[in-house]
Amino acid sequence: MDYNPQEIEAKWQAYWEEHKIYQTETNSDKPKFYALDMFPYPSGAGLHVGHPLGYIASDIISRFKRMQGYNVLHPMGFDSFGLPAEQYAIETGQHPAITTKQNIETFKAQLGKLGFDYDWSREVQTSSPDFYKWTQWIFQQIFDSWYNQKTDKAEPISELISEFEKNGNTQVKADCDEDTPSFSAEEWNKFSAEEKQHLLLKYRLTYVADSIVNWCPVLGTVLANDEIKDGFSERGGHPVERKKMRQWMMRITAYSEKLLQGLDGIEWSDAVKEMQRNWIGKSFGAEMEFEIDPSGVSGVLKVFTTRPDTIYGVTFMVIAPELDLVDTLTTPEQKEEVAKYVNWAKNRSERERQSEVKTVTGVFTGSYAINSFSGEKIPIWIADYVLAGYGTGVVMAVPSSDDRDFRFATQFGISIKCVIEGSEDLDDPTEIKHGKLINSGSLNGMNTQDAIQEVIKEIEKRGIGKGKINYRLRDAVFSRQRYWGEPVPVYFEGDIPKVLPEMTLPLHLPEIDEYKPTEEGEPPLGRAENWKYEDKYEYELTTMPGWAGSSWYFLRYMDAQNNEEFASKKATEYWNQVDLYIGGTEHAVGHLLYSRFWTQFLCDRGFINHREPFKKLINQGMIQGMSALVYRVKDEDKFVSFDLKNDYETTELHVDVSLVEGDVLDIEAFKSWRPETANYEFITGKDGKFICGNRVEKMSKRWYNVVNPDAVVARYSADTMRLYEMFLGPLEQSKPWDPKNIDGSFRFLRKLWRLFENEQSEFYVSGDAPSKDEWKVLHRTIKKVKEDLDRYSFNTVVSEFMKLVNDLNALKCNKQAIFEPMLRMMAPYIPHITEELWAKMGHIKSIHIEQFPDFDEKYLKEDAFTYPIMINGKKRHLMDFAAEMNQADITTEVLADETVQKWLEGKAPKKIIVVPKKIVNIVV
Ligand code: ANZ
């Protein structure tokens, strides 16, 4: 009986599909378990072996839970809107929907070969109108809501309107635009319909606004902060500049505090929680006003500071170059220089501006402000280390306390006010680095926290400011000037955006002739012909960003076929949170923050009952490539085997990993891969083999080290691949793909198979009762495997399997009573081979809907222990005692023993120490 994985695996995959073995029950009394993978973007390159790492883990857990009696939801889908398909469309004219469809087919075929237990009847594709209809619907709910700070939640905008009609907005506490004016009920009622809509936009949780965005001219779209790395787009590496544009925005800032608090109740790694905390960036401090020196311009500068206690050390003010105040404050003499600077600073990314280590840049406005605490007149500068979008965009600079302010002051020769014990103004500013910081004025001797509170009290008393909590989080840009995304379900009456009636959704993506902006610079949707609401109103022309669909897709799986709602209340109540979410760390702030935001919102508005989407999150590590290297003898047409390479001077070359078996190069295959080397000499090493060197690096086409899962499945089996990926190491760790070890996993499967064979290699299992030792190794393994899976330790389980098979081999075990629970235990890891052996044992029902085995403590009990009996430190005897025997009884029996008596020579022992299950020590 041969183990023929290719045949077995295809057979069972077809069987599972046909018999709907993994279909999730819709109405079930069972407890639920929701295991989810971050759904992939279906790229043209297909899956590589890094993708399945997380998928295999969630597959194992979902099977484990199903076999423990849970109703399991383990779905899969595709995040199928996005840039690559559109870039391809621009280059080739191919409609992105076609490319996307093809890529999805490839992905599904690849996933299918790995034997995953997805319930495909719940598949979602974010680019399908059935799906984006509901993305648009959620957008409309957000548009129709405002954030009431009194009740601390989002509420329908209609309630805000009734409040305005009754009382105006004076008693309303809301997250709204800074420039929202106050008005009475009378005034509200007199406003025109248009004026009312403009005011409501200041409250809506999604709104249009002119904002400074990261514009990527090459990609022709706006990018979010988390899509930019060091001033370049993450995708494609194109330069990004700052530009003012009209955009849809999401008022995520209303949720800053809830997003922060929510982190405490979820089981995510500290690292990801910390990244989210930093992104939200809560700071405590004060907002306070500085009067502008009345001899110049009158007015005030409002700053946000976390260190109001350093007020006596403020020697200058800095404002961000984008502020309108720049024009007001710049004196005629400074105009030219300021204009030059502002123009230069305009296109620098936030990161560049903030990461400047050595030199800082800036320019003097010519104006001054008054430090009302010290009474001093201080210069107002413009510098791009101050960001327009944070706090008030104005900083009180304290060079004696703050590093950047210090560098700035030293560079531009601004005075540094001494808040250092023992000296007044400093000639040598570096002195402060060695001095001891003290608080000036009345704050002397206070600790920082007390001093901060003291100054806040004082500024509140003087009426120039107040204590303030600030968040670094900004409202999120929700517009992309691209084609391949969800249309925003909005039309314009004049400049007033209105949402489409719900019954008209989805608003379909229109066909266009070219996937490029229009001549006038409008987004591609501007090309759509006769595309108007009721033939007269302009639709919004931008599309939604990549994160729209992924912010709620996990809810759609709960009720994927529902045509009436995004998901029924019953379904969302039953499935509730995702119990286990597995995906890469690259989404730590983007996707994982936005989906928390939408979940919080939907909960506030009563559409769902849970606040946090993902209860437990595991970030799988990366699988790195193991590159293969060959060595060319310098300046000669020769390659030399790795083991001889030190005898020559060589240069190294990457070789495609598929041409290497273990360490050994297939020379002929290499020659046809690199025809220019066809006539080279290959100096082979030990045993006539040509050995390659290797190196761990990123898995990348460039290094010819990308491994395709299809190749592994074809060569070995899906079960081998699954087992091997789990065996590589802890799921969270990054680790190299080491082809040498795949064989080990494959050998294990063959060994398992042979347990079921007799000496004639025929299938044979015996109905005899197992021995005590056989029961013991089985139950020991079940116990450990359960414990390990409960703590998501996937790799250690594989070693347990290997140990068990070795032990059963050594015991020559062929008992059905052992094999059945063993297969059920292994089924989540290696679903095909276990199913085949299960069927061979005569079972008709699939093993995957059987019970996971329970362990029985009784088999683990050790019956007797052999104690060494030590007399004065020397081993004199061995005695067996029952495991549960107590120390007093052991002592009595030891003393009564003849051999012991002999060694004691009639003396009474001074001390007897019994170490249970280990040793007995007698001192005479
Ligand atoms: C005076 C001071 C003294 C400050 C000192 C810090 C240390 P976090 O913690 O991130 O909230 N700041 C305020 N607005 C800014 C802006 N738009 N761009 C750049 N920097 C800005 O930081 C708040 C501190 O960063 C504020 O407190 C302000 O400098 C600066 F020893 O005021 B501080």
Side-chain angles (χ1 to χ4, degrees):
M1 160 183 109
D2 274 345
Y3 169 44
N4 183 348
Q6 307 310 330
E7 195 181 294
I8 293 174
E9 297 193 340
K11 177 178 82 184
W12 289 114
Q13 284 162 12
Y15 175 89
W16 297 331
E17 198 182 321
E18 189 189 337
H19 293 83
K20 300 194 168 39
I21 295 293
Y22 305 123
Q23 195 160 32
T24 305
E25 294 170 37
T26 301
N27 294 306
S28 171
D29 298 331
K30 291 181 188 167
K32 66 96 189 186
F33 191 89
Y34 187 178
L36 184 64
D37 304 290
M38 289 185 183
F39 66 163
Y41 174 79
S43 74
L47 286 179
H48 75 53
V49 291
H51 288 107
L53 182 65
Y55 303 163
I56 296 169
S58 70
D59 195 65
I60 290 169
I61 290 296
S62 64
R63 290 169 176 278
F64 176 54
K65 294 284 177 185
R66 183 180 300 108
M67 293 179 78
Q68 288 180 307
Y70 287 87
N71 182 24
V72 169
L73 178 55
H74 184 224
M76 184 43 94
F78 299 94
D79 192 10
S80 48
F81 271 135
L83 284 183
E86 186 166 353
Q87 284 305 98
Y88 189 71
I90 292 173
E91 286 157 26
T92 62
Q94 170 91 285
H95 196 292
I98 296 172
T99 332
T100 304
K101 186 162 174 275
Q102 287 165 351
N103 293 350
I104 288 178
E105 275 161 18
T106 312
F107 265 67
K108 278 173 92 165
Q110 286 186 298
L111 291 170
K113 283 192 195 141
L114 288 165
F116 293 132
D117 69 351
Y118 301 124
D119 176 355
W120 283 110
S121 71
R122 293 173 185 252
E123 176 189 350
V124 303
Q125 297 181 7
T126 54
S127 60
S128 140
D130 295 342
F131 182 89
Y132 70 64
K133 166 177 177 174
W134 298 109
T135 311
Q136 293 173 336
W137 180 86
I138 293 173
F139 173 89
Q140 296 196 336
Q141 307 314 308
I142 299 175
F143 182 81
D144 245 336
S145 305
W146 64 293
Y147 199 89
N148 186 347
Q149 289 176 348
K150 286 190 193 154
T151 55
D152 203 16
K153 62 184 187 126
E155 292 179 359
I157 205 96
S158 56
E159 289 173 21
L160 184 67
I161 298 173
S162 355
E163 171 65 15
F164 288 170
E165 284 165 355
K166 272 186 255 141
N167 302 310
N169 71 350
T170 45
Q171 285 161 42
V172 171
K173 286 191 75 179
D175 280 273
C176 57
D177 291 0
E178 286 261 311
D179 61 355
T180 310
S182 53
F183 48 81
S184 64
E186 236 188 337
E187 286 169 307
W188 171 260
N189 293 324
K190 275 195 216 132
F191 287 144
S192 69
E194 207 178 324
E195 282 167 326
K196 283 181 183 168
Q197 288 304 328
H198 276 296
L199 282 167
L200 289 174
L201 263 186
K202 295 181 184 294
Y203 288 87
R204 294 185 189 276
L205 288 183
T206 180
Y207 57 97
V208 257
D210 284 329
S211 54
I212 296 169
V213 294
N214 306 304
W215 172 251
C216 178
V218 180
L219 294 177
T221 193
V222 163
L223 298 173
N225 283 343
D226 55 80
E227 292 170 319
I228 303 167
K229 271 219 159 84
D230 304 323
F232 292 89
S233 63
E234 200 166 36
R235 194 175 282 285
H238 308 295
V240 176
E241 57 191 49
R242 317 269 301 149
K243 191 172 167 185
K244 209 174 201 168
M245 280 177 89
R246 226 167 118 79
Q247 300 288 321
W248 279 93
M249 306 288 294
M250 284 272 161
R251 215 181 288 279
I252 187 174
T253 49
Y255 282 91
S256 304
E257 191 56 37
K258 278 191 174 160
L259 290 171
L260 205 54
Q261 302 294 337
L263 291 171
D264 295 337
I266 48 184
E267 299 159 40
W268 295 15
S269 72
D270 290 338
V272 175
K273 284 190 186 184
E274 206 41 37
M275 278 161 88
Q276 294 222 341
R277 286 197 188 100
N278 287 336
W279 194 262
I280 298 167
K282 183 177 186 175
S283 334
F284 300 89
E287 215 165 63
M288 77 169 113
E289 286 171 358
F290 284 69
E291 213 162 304
I292 298 169
D293 181 11
S295 63
V297 193
S298 62
V300 289
L301 280 183
K302 203 196 254 180
V303 306
F304 171 72
T305 173
T306 45
R307 294 292 307 276
D309 59 310
T310 61
I311 181 78
Y312 290 98
V314 179
T315 55
F316 61 106
M317 309 288 289
V318 191
I319 69 173
E322 296 89 343
L323 297 199
D324 293 340
L325 263 174
V326 166
D327 289 340
T328 333
L329 290 174
T330 305
T331 57
E333 305 80 63
Q334 293 298 101
K335 242 192 178 83
E336 199 177 321
E337 214 184 323
V338 165
K340 219 165 79 192
Y341 179 72
V342 169
N343 200 33
W344 173 80
K346 204 172 64 190
N347 283 335
R348 300 220 308 153
S349 75
E350 251 176 46
R351 208 176 294 234
E352 273 176 301
R353 289 166 62 159
Q354 292 233 292
S355 64
E356 248 164 12
V357 187
K358 290 201 183 66
T359 47
V360 275
T361 60
V363 56
F364 180 42
T365 59
S367 295
Y368 292 84
I370 307 289
N371 178 344
S372 62
F373 278 68
S374 65
E376 277 161 345
K377 189 169 138 178
I378 50 177
I380 304 172
W381 285 69
I382 299 167
D384 73 355
Y385 75 80
V386 174
L387 304 175
Y390 185 63
T392 59
V394 184
V395 167
M396 63 178 219
V398 189
S400 53
S401 300
D402 181 277
D403 267 356
R404 271 179 322 189
D405 297 347
F406 175 76
R407 270 183 272 131
F408 197 87
T410 10
Q411 188 164 326
F412 293 103
I414 303 170
S415 73
I416 296 173
K417 185 79 185 299
C418 169
V419 279
I420 304 299
E421 198 163 33
S423 48
E424 266 298 311
D425 295 307
L426 291 172
D427 299 327
D428 174 9
T430 53
E431 229 178 279
I432 63 165
K433 296 280 170 213
H434 313 292
K436 179 172 167 253
L437 182 72
I438 59 159
N439 298 307
S440 305
S442 60
L443 304 171
N444 265 343
M446 263 186 208
N447 75 35
T448 307
Q449 280 317 311
D450 290 345
I452 288 174
Q453 292 313 319
E454 198 56 33
V455 175
I456 292 178
K457 256 194 253 158
E458 182 60 26
I459 59 173
E460 284 178 354
K461 201 165 93 198
R462 296 187 190 189
I464 54 166
K466 56 180 192 312
K468 167 122 198 203
I469 292 172
N470 218 4
Y471 298 90
R472 193 161 284 279
L473 186 68
R474 325 263 172 89
D475 282 345
V477 177
F478 198 70
S479 291
R480 292 285 183 277
Q481 288 64 27
R482 300 297 301 234
Y483 175 69
W484 193 232
E486 299 86 347
V488 178
V490 159
Y491 65 93
F492 286 87
E493 262 184 48
D495 64 346
I496 298 182
K498 300 234 159 130
V499 293
L500 295 166
E502 196 180 319
M503 51 177 279
T504 66
L505 298 184
L507 172 60
H508 284 271
L509 199 52
E511 295 302 323
I512 55 174
D513 56 350
E514 256 192 302
Y515 306 97
K516 287 183 186 159
T518 64
E519 310 282 283
E520 298 77 41
E522 277 187 333
L525 290 189
R527 293 178 173 274
E529 277 174 34
N530 305 324
W531 193 57
K532 287 206 164 114
Y533 179 59
E534 290 186 338
D535 292 331
K536 54 179 180 236
Y537 301 112
E538 296 286 347
Y539 283 121
E540 168 63 40
L541 295 181
T542 62
T543 49
M544 297 191 196
W547 56 268
S550 59
S551 293
W552 78 279
Y553 75 111
F554 43 90
L555 296 171
R556 185 66 181 167
Y557 287 134
M558 297 175 181
D559 196 6
Q561 321 281 357
N562 194 332
N563 289 325
E564 309 296 316
E565 294 164 283
F566 68 95
S568 74
K569 198 69 189 287
K570 187 162 164 244
T572 59
E573 262 170 28
Y574 176 70
W575 290 110
N576 204 268
Q577 287 178 305
V578 172
D579 296 284
L580 175 65
Y581 196 29
I582 299 184
T585 29
E586 65 276 22
H587 301 293
V589 284
H591 159 60
L592 288 173
L593 196 66
Y594 296 132
S595 41
R596 294 184 59 222
F597 161 41
W598 280 27
T599 304
Q600 298 258 1
F601 166 78
L602 291 169
C603 180
D604 274 358
R605 288 291 315 269
F607 298 118
I608 57 175
N609 278 354
H610 58 284
R611 296 211 73 84
E612 285 292 335
F614 315 119
K615 182 158 146 223
K616 161 100 191 158
L617 170 75
I618 301 181
N619 296 114
Q620 88 265 17
M622 291 247 281
I623 292 199
Q624 295 146 323
M626 177 73 86
S627 304
L629 304 164
V630 290
Y631 304 90
R632 182 183 163 184
V633 180
K634 203 157 179 221
D635 303 326
E636 288 188 56
D637 293 350
K638 284 178 187 161
F639 287 109
V640 55
S641 178
F642 177 73
D643 44 333
L644 301 177
K645 126 180 172 341
N646 289 342
D647 302 341
Y648 299 83
E649 203 186 332
T650 58
T651 51
E652 74 175 29
L653 220 81
H654 277 79
V655 36
D656 195 302
V657 288
S658 65
L659 309 179
V660 184
E661 174 87 43
D663 283 344
V664 182
L665 180 71
D666 178 339
I667 296 174
E668 288 316 309
F670 179 80
K671 283 181 175 172
S672 40
W673 183 62
R674 291 240 146 173
E676 73 277 12
T677 62
N679 297 323
Y680 277 35
E681 181 187 343
F682 285 77
I683 308 169
T684 51
K686 219 170 125 238
D687 304 332
K689 288 179 176 153
F690 190 94
I691 310 290
C692 296
N694 54 41
R695 180 185 304 135
V696 174
E697 47 202 351
K698 194 177 156 76
M699 199 170 272
S700 148
K701 275 194 200 145
R702 177 160 172 222
W703 306 125
Y704 304 109
N705 61 5
V706 178
V707 181
N708 182 327
D710 296 355
V712 182
V713 172
R715 169 91 203 268
Y716 299 94
S717 66
D719 285 341
T720 310
M721 166 92 180
R722 295 168 60 104
L723 202 64
Y724 170 71
E725 287 219 356
M726 289 300 99
F727 195 47
L728 277 175
L731 183 60
E732 293 91 334
Q733 263 171 33
S734 287
K735 52 235 155 184
W737 178 265
D738 187 353
K740 288 201 287 296
N741 291 331
I742 304 179
D743 258 343
S745 296
F746 189 58
R747 274 198 307 274
F748 163 79
L749 293 174
R750 288 220 305 262
K751 223 186 226 177
L752 172 68
W753 186 263
R754 278 202 302 270
L755 277 181
F756 293 74
E757 287 178 346
N758 63 14
E759 271 154 22
Q760 288 75 45
S761 295
E762 293 154 351
F763 180 82
Y764 176 74
V765 287
S766 121
D768 294 352
S771 71
K772 228 192 268 172
D773 282 342
E774 288 168 341
W775 280 126
K776 193 165 130 189
V777 291
L778 172 72
H779 282 269
R780 184 201 62 204
T781 313
I782 299 175
K783 178 168 191 274
K784 184 75 185 357
V785 165
K786 272 193 148 167
E787 283 167 3
D788 286 357
L789 282 181
D790 280 335
R791 54 187 182 91
Y792 305 111
S793 172
F794 295 95
N795 58 321
T796 50
V797 168
V798 183
S799 349
E800 289 304 317
F801 290 168
M802 292 178 170
K803 252 195 280 175
L804 176 64
V805 168
N806 284 341
D807 288 348
L808 293 177
N809 235 331
L811 292 167
K812 299 212 168 8
C813 176
N814 57 2
K815 316 277 169 59
Q816 175 157 6
I818 296 292
F819 288 171
E820 287 191 345
M822 175 184 77
L823 289 179
R824 284 186 275 127
M825 168 177 67
M826 293 179 172
Y829 273 74
I830 39 178
H832 309 87
I833 189 173
T834 49
E835 185 82 299
E836 176 73 14
L837 292 168
W838 185 253
K840 277 195 180 319
M841 282 199 292
H843 295 284
I844 298 176
K845 250 173 56 188
S846 166
I847 191 170
H848 302 297
I849 45 178
E850 288 285 336
Q851 282 292 304
F852 198 82
D854 276 324
F855 73 91
D856 192 334
E857 201 69 61
K858 89 174 175 230
Y859 296 114
L860 302 183
K861 280 214 181 113
E862 304 281 349
D863 298 337
F865 283 91
T866 306
Y867 286 78
I869 313 296
M870 313 289 288
I871 298 175
N872 282 347
K874 289 214 172 81
K875 185 160 102 188
R876 297 301 190 190
H877 192 33
L878 290 172
M879 288 178 79
D880 285 349
F881 294 110
E884 58 274 18
M885 192 154 164
N886 69 37
Q887 299 184 24
D889 291 347
I890 293 178
T891 308
T892 314
E893 287 205 18
V894 168
L895 291 180
D897 184 85
E898 251 178 60
T899 318
V900 176
Q901 284 296 335
K902 194 187 99 199
W903 285 106
L904 289 178
E905 297 168 340
K907 285 181 229 151
K910 288 193 197 117
K911 225 200 239 166
I912 301 176
I913 307 155
V914 178
V915 184
K917 295 187 189 171
K918 284 224 165 72
I919 200 168
V920 179
N921 270 307
I922 305 176
V923 184
V924 272

